[in-house]
Amino acid sequence: MGEREVHRTAQDSVYSSFLETCALLSGNVAQDDLHGLHNFGDLHARSELIRCHLQTHGTAPGDLVGLLLDRDLDLPASIMAVFGAGAAYLPLDKGDPTERHMRALALCPCRCVLGPRANILPLRYAFIERGIRPIPDFIAFEDMLPIVGEGPAPCSPAPEDIAYVLLTSGSTGTPKAVNVTHGNVMTLLTSARERLRFTGDDRYLATSPLTFDASIPELFLPLITGARIVLRERDLVLRPGALAEVVRLAGASLVQTTPSTWQAVLTAEPDFPHVRVLITHGEAVSPAFARSRAPRAEMVLNMYGPTETTVWATAHPLTADLPDGRSASSAPIGTPLAHFEIAVVDPDGRTLPAGEAGELLLGGSSVTRGYRNDPERTARVFTERDGTAFYHTGDLVVRNEDGVIDYLGRIDDQMAINGLRIEPGEIEAALLAHPDVARAAVTWYPVTDDQRSIVAAVVPDAGTMVTSETLRAWLSERLGRAMLPARYQILSALPTLTSGKIDRKAIRAAALEAGGDTVDRSEPAMSETEDMVAGIWRTLLKVSHVSREDNFFLIGGDSLAAVEMITLLEAERGEQIPIEMILETPKLSEFAALLDAGTNAGASEDSTVIQVKPARDGTPLFFALADYGYVGRAGRAIPYPFYNLTVWNRTDGIVSMDRLEDLAARYKNEIMAAQPNGPYRLAGYSFGGLLVFEIARQFIRDGQEVASLFLLDASAPTMLELTPGTVVDGLGRMDVTRSLGPAYLIEEARRRARRAPLELKSWSWKRRYTQVNQALQSGGGSTIDPTTRHRAMVYALGRLAARYVAEPLSVPATIIGCDPGMTRIWQLLIPEARVERLNIAHRDVFNSPMDEEWTQVLLDVLDSDGADQALVEAAE
């Protein structure tokens, strides 16, 4: 695609620029996915559908819309739909805990929250269960119908209208909500386009979450310029091989991430593909590292800028002959982008001459509108100088004679960690909310020249005890992943200076010396594998001791260190190891056990029933869609043979049958090959619950006994035949505030009859399913990103679920439910079932410590179902 001249000023809105691009380039690619392409026409059509749905449901100019999205076509389409409705968006990261989402929505109330049903339902139920009013309108993509006739006309945002609100860390413990206008964004895009020499021929790799302001240029530059977006999950950067493969296959010309991430990626992949522009941002980068990475691209840029000035404010080219600046540990942050003014001032606000260090102020049309509903904090850092708006960055810099700015550090305690500016006060406030914590202090410590992590020093209340594990579990329910400390110090008192202030340097020094918590442990001797892994951890994390019970992420590890660890481990063992193993199973003893057992023990190319635990005495448990890491965590307590029912194999790829009954029959035969006679123990998660329900029905039909059926937050059937000849629609139609008897189901069915989920109608999902299958069958499955695999699976399994009619079944059953509506549907089908409630999101049920809670229920079921005694009697 050739370059298209764009004649516009910073007075345009992102939306009007997008519409102009769509009108000219509707046949060209807007999103580039290795398993499916979308052009500007597809994107605009999808955006229009979402916009009309938002407006018909009351979204109006000035409203705020929460976005809780997956990384697919609906991400850019939803943003443009919000703009077209005249509203602004508040990004919510689906990886964050529900508690953090609730805090965000309390700080920034939204007219509605938009996303896939699986993302938004847990948040809706949290509002209902806590009795919080008003409840936003939760709008699921699956509930959107095609536009009939002429829809509402789009709005035209003005430059001064808010485009999005981004939450940043707050020193008082409450996040700050930054108001960013369309004019701010267009100033950035105009300046960045010029500095990056960005054209319609470029392909921008987009991995930043919407909650990170680096997502703005990733998404909007291509959408207003006619270029391509290569849209991928953030976790792609944790798999260097897959990242390099995506860059090669998609032909990405611009790639951006933080210096610490680049260090991990380029160390693991020394032959990383050459790109046109490589951007590093969010953290200080050492001159030595910058010089070594300069030959990796035609242009390597160190970009700098806080959220309050709309992403990027300055840039500096990193070259092989880059000189050391005033800071030996930080390369220059460069010169201002177009439309920016800078000032270096002393504590009294007086402008300093070149060569003198002071606070950096940034001014111009990219300076945002301050903090939402917080005039006091806004007044402290947003000021006006000679009629121009300026923002006080809090960064200590010096401007050289040639105008280049050197970054020297902070004038306060704010931390830059993996590209995010984090206030220690927000983490400290979350720690102090723990009932057993008396005092807390948080700071950073250096891991390498280009990487920092967070350390928390905690003083427990008198007579109480806390550990790293309990503190991490506490914080993980309240903070985003990027804000979780890597190390904890459990102290009797915090170190202080003579002034009485907390000595954060002493905390950093202690973190470098020890790491982990201070609790002594006695433990048995390590196995050979444990000893080998522990050696790698000690070297990589610079800790003197690693125990069998140590958690990689609690002794100094983070996601980037995990990449380096897996790379070293693969070199040591001579085999490929998925990064997910350490992310899901971070305790040394459990991680080593998985390495010894192998992740696919007992699997054959054609088998879909895979033994994942060594054979033992007793009746096996067949678990559909169990998490592999679960077997090495809470699942290790199950003293029976354990089989996982997968949804694909090398020969067939993802299941391609047209009827759930046929798929269940296949599984039934494979189960009987492993266990010829009943009684059978069946368990299933998500769609797997629906699958084992049908397997149980077929076993009972054939005269076999089912000792226990365990449904773990199982997907509800699409169709229910509660009485012969009467079929009602039950998929996702449950409202927990209303009665859910058969009469209500029939009423709902009449209103929504035969309304299939949107994804089942989508040609792009079907195409993705086909192409994923081809990749799996050809052995190229490792290059497929998790979202693409998930979408292909949803298409395949959703097709089966949409056609399946479930009838009541008499079987010993236990229902573990996160979704009250779905649980009540299952109770209609299995009235005698035992029901337990989990207050957690669907995707989190295999995470510790929640997996231990429902595993205890499962153990109670298995210990009392009589299956082993029945087998003994049958044998006699």
Side-chain angles (χ1 to χ4, degrees):
M1 185 192 308
E3 178 177 4
R4 179 173 65 90
E5 288 299 325
V6 181
H7 300 288
R8 57 171 60 94
T9 70
Q11 297 306 304
D12 292 325
S13 75
V14 179
Y15 186 64
S16 61
S17 302
F18 168 70
L19 292 181
E20 177 188 346
T21 305
C22 287
L24 295 174
L25 301 171
S26 61
N28 289 322
V29 172
Q31 177 190 350
D32 184 344
D33 185 291
L34 294 186
H35 307 290
L37 301 177
H38 302 290
N39 60 40
F40 274 87
D42 298 331
L43 177 57
H44 184 251
R46 183 64 176 151
S47 174
E48 283 294 279
L49 171 64
I50 299 171
R51 177 186 64 77
C52 290
H53 197 84
L54 287 174
Q55 289 181 281
T56 55
H57 279 71
T59 302
D63 284 342
L64 194 58
V65 176
L67 297 183
L68 192 50
L69 307 174
D70 292 331
R71 295 187 69 81
D72 55 20
L73 181 66
D74 282 335
L75 188 149
S78 296
I79 292 175
M80 292 306 158
V82 170
F83 290 167
Y89 71 86
L90 174 73
L92 302 170
D93 191 332
K94 71 173 186 177
D96 283 347
T98 298
E99 186 64 33
R100 187 161 181 83
H101 293 158
M102 297 294 288
R103 290 173 62 196
L105 292 172
L107 182 64
C108 303
C110 290
R111 171 69 180 80
C112 61
V113 178
L114 177 67
R117 185 183 295 124
N119 291 1
I120 65 176
L121 278 184
L123 191 54
R124 176 174 180 262
Y125 292 142
F127 269 86
I128 294 172
E129 290 172 353
R130 301 180 192 190
I132 298 174
R133 297 293 185 272
I135 299 177
D137 188 6
F138 286 87
I139 301 176
F141 294 133
E142 295 89 337
D143 293 331
M144 293 182 183
L145 294 173
I147 302 170
V148 178
E150 188 172 339
C155 300
S156 299
E160 63 273 13
D161 290 337
I162 302 298
Y164 63 88
V165 177
L166 204 61
L167 298 185
T168 66
S169 185
S171 59
T172 63
T174 302
K176 297 172 292 189
V178 183
N179 286 317
V180 185
T181 69
H182 282 271
N184 295 151
V185 176
M186 286 307 300
T187 297
L188 163 76
L189 298 180
T190 303
S191 302
R193 184 174 183 268
E194 175 185 327
R195 183 62 66 99
L196 298 175
R197 300 197 290 272
F198 194 85
T199 75
D201 294 326
D202 278 307
R203 298 186 178 193
Y204 209 143
L205 178 63
T207 61
S208 299
L210 279 187
T211 50
F212 190 16
D213 60 5
S215 63
I216 303 304
E218 284 180 347
L219 295 172
F220 294 161
L221 266 178
L223 292 182
I224 70 167
T225 313
R228 297 188 180 189
I229 306 171
V230 184
L231 196 58
R232 288 296 183 274
E233 293 285 351
R234 174 64 173 170
D235 288 349
L236 179 68
V237 300
L238 301 182
R239 296 178 286 132
L243 175 62
E245 189 70 4
V246 166
V247 171
R248 289 190 190 97
L249 294 179
S253 58
L254 276 83
V255 186
Q256 67 176 20
T257 191
T258 62
S260 50
T261 301
W262 276 127
Q263 185 175 36
V265 169
L266 298 178
T267 300
E269 281 290 318
D271 296 325
F272 193 85
H274 194 78
V275 295
R276 190 180 72 79
V277 181
L278 188 154
I279 297 171
T280 179
H281 60 91
E283 299 170 330
V285 53
S286 68
F289 180 75
R291 285 190 286 266
S292 68
R293 291 341 182 203
R296 297 288 184 159
E298 294 178 24
M299 178 167 45
V300 181
L301 288 175
N302 184 25
M303 307 290 282
Y304 160 89
T307 300
E308 287 85 348
T309 59
T310 319
V311 193
W312 293 330
T314 70
H316 193 72
L318 303 181
T319 59
D321 58 353
L322 181 74
D324 289 336
R326 281 280 294 272
S327 170
S329 62
S330 175
I333 59 174
T335 55
L337 300 182
H339 310 299
F340 268 103
E341 297 181 35
I342 65 169
V344 180
V345 301
D346 65 14
D348 295 323
R350 291 188 292 266
T351 301
L352 295 170
E356 290 193 29
E359 182 185 7
L360 176 63
L361 274 59
L362 297 172
S365 53
S366 267
V367 175
T368 60
R369 290 263 294 274
Y371 302 124
R372 196 175 190 86
N373 302 322
D374 197 343
E376 183 178 339
R377 276 202 284 194
T378 297
R380 283 203 298 264
V381 293
F382 289 88
T383 59
E384 190 171 295
R385 296 166 65 92
D386 299 326
T388 300
F390 275 83
Y391 169 69
H392 290 247
T393 66
D395 289 329
L396 185 66
V397 302
V398 62
R399 180 166 46 183
N400 301 328
E401 294 293 343
D402 57 2
V404 174
I405 304 166
D406 280 335
Y407 175 79
L408 303 180
R410 292 290 299 175
I411 62 174
D412 55 19
D413 295 324
Q414 190 184 80
M415 307 176 293
I417 307 292
N418 292 336
L420 293 178
R421 289 174 175 256
I422 296 172
E423 294 285 357
E426 186 168 355
I427 305 174
E428 290 167 358
L431 285 168
L432 291 170
H434 191 286
D436 295 333
V437 172
R439 298 193 68 193
V442 171
T443 187
W444 59 270
Y445 68 96
V447 179
T448 66
D449 288 343
D450 297 290
Q451 185 178 346
R452 291 178 173 182
S453 289
I454 303 172
V455 57
V458 172
V459 178
D461 267 328
T464 66
M465 185 183 74
V466 294
T467 66
S468 300
E469 288 82 359
T470 58
L471 292 174
R472 184 176 178 87
W474 173 266
L475 292 181
S476 65
E477 296 176 358
R478 291 159 176 80
L479 302 176
R481 289 173 292 180
M483 300 179 72
L484 298 179
R487 294 184 179 175
Y488 293 83
Q489 298 169 7
I490 314 300
L491 308 174
S492 57
L494 296 179
T496 58
L497 301 168
T498 55
S499 64
K501 293 183 178 180
I502 294 172
D503 188 349
R504 297 182 190 272
K505 288 185 178 179
I507 295 174
R508 287 198 282 271
L512 290 174
E513 287 179 10
D517 60 32
T518 61
V519 180
D520 294 328
R521 301 185 180 98
S522 58
E523 57 189 79
M526 289 188 180
S527 69
E528 182 179 344
T529 302
E530 288 171 343
D531 188 60
M532 181 262 294
V533 174
I536 293 176
W537 289 15
R538 285 193 298 269
T539 301
L540 182 64
L541 303 180
K542 298 178 175 63
V543 294
S544 58
H545 176 72
V546 174
S547 82
R548 299 181 71 253
E549 297 305 306
D550 271 331
N551 181 309
F552 181 79
F553 299 109
L554 293 181
I555 61 171
D558 58 17
S559 56
L560 300 178
V563 174
E564 297 183 53
M565 190 273 290
I566 291 294
T567 302
L568 294 171
L569 196 54
E570 288 177 337
E572 180 76 22
R573 292 174 63 90
E575 61 178 330
Q576 287 194 330
I577 301 168
I579 184 69
E580 288 80 9
M581 277 183 65
I582 188 62
L583 299 178
E584 296 169 353
T585 315
K587 186 177 289 188
L588 175 60
S589 58
E590 297 172 1
F591 178 68
L594 279 183
L595 288 176
D596 287 336
T599 55
N600 285 314
S604 71
E605 289 194 345
D606 297 328
S607 176
T608 51
V609 177
I610 300 174
Q611 184 174 339
V612 293
K613 213 172 182 184
R616 303 184 184 186
D617 294 334
T619 305
L621 173 66
F622 296 92
F623 203 135
L625 304 192
D627 178 83
Y628 274 112
Y630 167 75
V631 181
R633 295 192 301 272
R636 69 185 183 278
I638 299 173
Y640 303 103
F642 194 117
Y643 290 82
N644 193 11
L645 279 61
T646 68
V647 294
W648 71 278
N649 62 58
R650 182 61 53 80
T651 301
D652 297 335
I654 296 175
V655 293
S656 55
M657 297 173 176
D658 291 327
R659 299 173 68 247
L660 178 62
E661 292 88 336
D662 296 335
L663 178 64
R666 170 176 177 167
Y667 280 104
K668 178 173 72 72
N669 292 335
E670 291 200 29
I671 289 171
M672 294 184 71
Q675 180 189 337
N677 297 295
Y680 292 99
R681 289 167 163 165
L682 303 173
Y685 163 67
S686 193
F687 173 85
L690 196 60
L691 177 61
V692 294
F693 176 82
E694 173 57 23
I695 294 172
R697 191 189 68 78
Q698 293 188 19
F699 270 135
I700 293 172
R701 178 201 63 193
D702 296 345
Q704 293 284 353
E705 181 184 353
V706 175
S708 52
L709 177 64
F710 186 83
L711 304 181
L712 178 60
D713 206 35
S715 302
T718 305
M719 303 288 205
L720 311 177
E721 189 169 354
L722 300 175
T723 56
T726 302
V727 177
V728 297
D729 179 3
L731 179 63
R733 311 308 178 201
M734 301 301 96
D735 183 341
V736 298
T737 63
R738 299 184 58 178
S739 168
L740 295 179
Y744 173 63
L745 288 175
I746 294 172
E747 174 193 341
E748 286 290 287
R750 286 171 180 161
R751 276 201 309 122
R752 306 174 187 243
R754 294 183 177 84
R755 186 173 173 188
L758 175 67
E759 59 264 28
L760 304 187
K761 302 176 182 178
S762 169
W763 67 268
S764 63
W765 281 44
K766 181 175 182 180
R767 178 177 174 183
R768 185 174 297 189
Y769 159 72
T770 301
Q771 294 179 338
V772 168
N773 254 354
Q774 292 171 350
L776 290 171
Q777 293 165 6
S778 65
S782 63
T783 64
I784 305 170
D785 65 278
T787 294
T788 298
R789 284 200 304 269
H790 174 72
R791 292 303 185 209
M793 189 182 304
V794 167
Y795 175 83
L797 303 183
R799 242 173 5 119
L800 302 180
R803 300 169 180 172
Y804 179 64
V805 179
E807 304 172 13
L809 185 66
S810 179
V811 61
T814 300
I815 299 170
I816 303 290
C818 304
D819 181 334
M822 301 299 181
T823 299
R824 294 184 190 184
I825 295 175
W826 281 111
Q827 287 179 275
L828 294 173
L829 292 166
I830 317 174
E832 67 273 24
R834 170 187 176 183
V835 177
E836 299 282 346
R837 175 86 168 94
L838 285 183
N839 187 22
I840 194 172
H842 176 75
R843 61 182 175 272
D844 292 333
V845 297
F846 285 108
N847 293 338
S848 179
M850 193 55 64
D851 56 357
E852 298 171 5
E853 182 176 326
W854 61 259
T855 295
Q856 188 55 56
V857 178
L858 175 57
L859 284 170
D860 293 343
V861 170
L862 300 179
D863 290 343
S864 61
D865 66 8
D868 287 343
Q869 182 61 32
L871 280 180
V872 171
E873 293 173 356
E876 293 174 349

